[in-house]
Amino acid sequence: MNEDEQESLARKSRADRVLERAASELEILLKEASAALRPFPSFPNAFFTNAIECDPGPAGDPERGCVVVGEDGDLYELEFGVDHEAVEITGSWDPVTARKEESRKLDLHPRDYVVYAYSGLMAITEALMERAADEEEGS
C-alpha cells in the first residue's frame, strides 16, 4: 500500500470515529429529552403506542418504514396491521381488538442513527416547547 492509500484510509478511519462519537452523543441527548417528555404522547392514530416520529425527510432511508422515538429514548420501526389471531379468537372485528401495533428496535449504522436521532431530538424538543407553552397559558 502506498503512502496516498494509507493517508486515505487514515482519513476514513478518523471520519468513522467522528461519526461514531456523534451518534453516541446524540443517543445520550435523545434519552435525556425522552425522559424530560414523560408522560410521553400517544402516537397519532395508535391505540397502544406512545412514541414520536423521527421524519428526516429525504435524508431518511426510503426502504425503512415509520421510525419513532420510544419512551426509553431508543429508535424503533413502527408497524400497524391487523391481528388476525385476535380476530379469530374473539370472532370480532372490533378495531381495538383487531389492531396490531408492533415496534421493532432498530440497530442502525452510526451514519443512519445520526440522521434519525437528530430528527427525533428535534421532534421531542418541539413537543417539550409546546407543552411548556400550554402550561404557561394554563397558569
Side-chain angles (χ1 to χ4, degrees), residues 7-112:
E7 187 176 314
S8 291
L9 287 176
R11 191 177 308 105
K12 183 202 175 299
S13 180
R14 286 194 316 265
D16 288 344
R17 287 192 306 275
V18 167
L19 193 56
E20 288 167 7
R21 192 168 44 251
S24 179
E25 290 182 26
L26 277 169
E27 181 178 18
I28 292 167
L29 292 171
L30 196 54
K31 287 185 183 300
E32 289 174 357
S34 295
L37 188 58
R38 290 194 178 112
F40 226 70
S42 295
F43 189 79
N45 300 316
F47 294 132
F48 314 110
T49 303
N50 294 336
I52 291 187
E53 186 172 7
C54 306
D55 183 7
D61 180 353
E63 299 295 315
R64 188 164 282 125
C66 179
V67 177
V68 298
V69 179
E71 292 180 271
D72 58 2
D74 287 332
L75 298 179
Y76 296 87
E77 186 169 12
L78 184 60
E79 295 177 358
F80 294 103
V82 174
D83 187 346
H84 294 285
E85 189 175 309
V87 170
E88 284 183 31
I89 290 172
T90 63
S92 168
W93 272 95
D94 171 61
V96 175
T97 306
R99 180 70 169 223
K100 184 177 187 179
E101 295 176 17
E102 292 183 341
S103 46
R104 182 177 48 85
K105 189 171 179 180
L106 292 173
D107 182 23
L108 300 170
H109 183 280
R111 171 194 62 236
D112 297 324

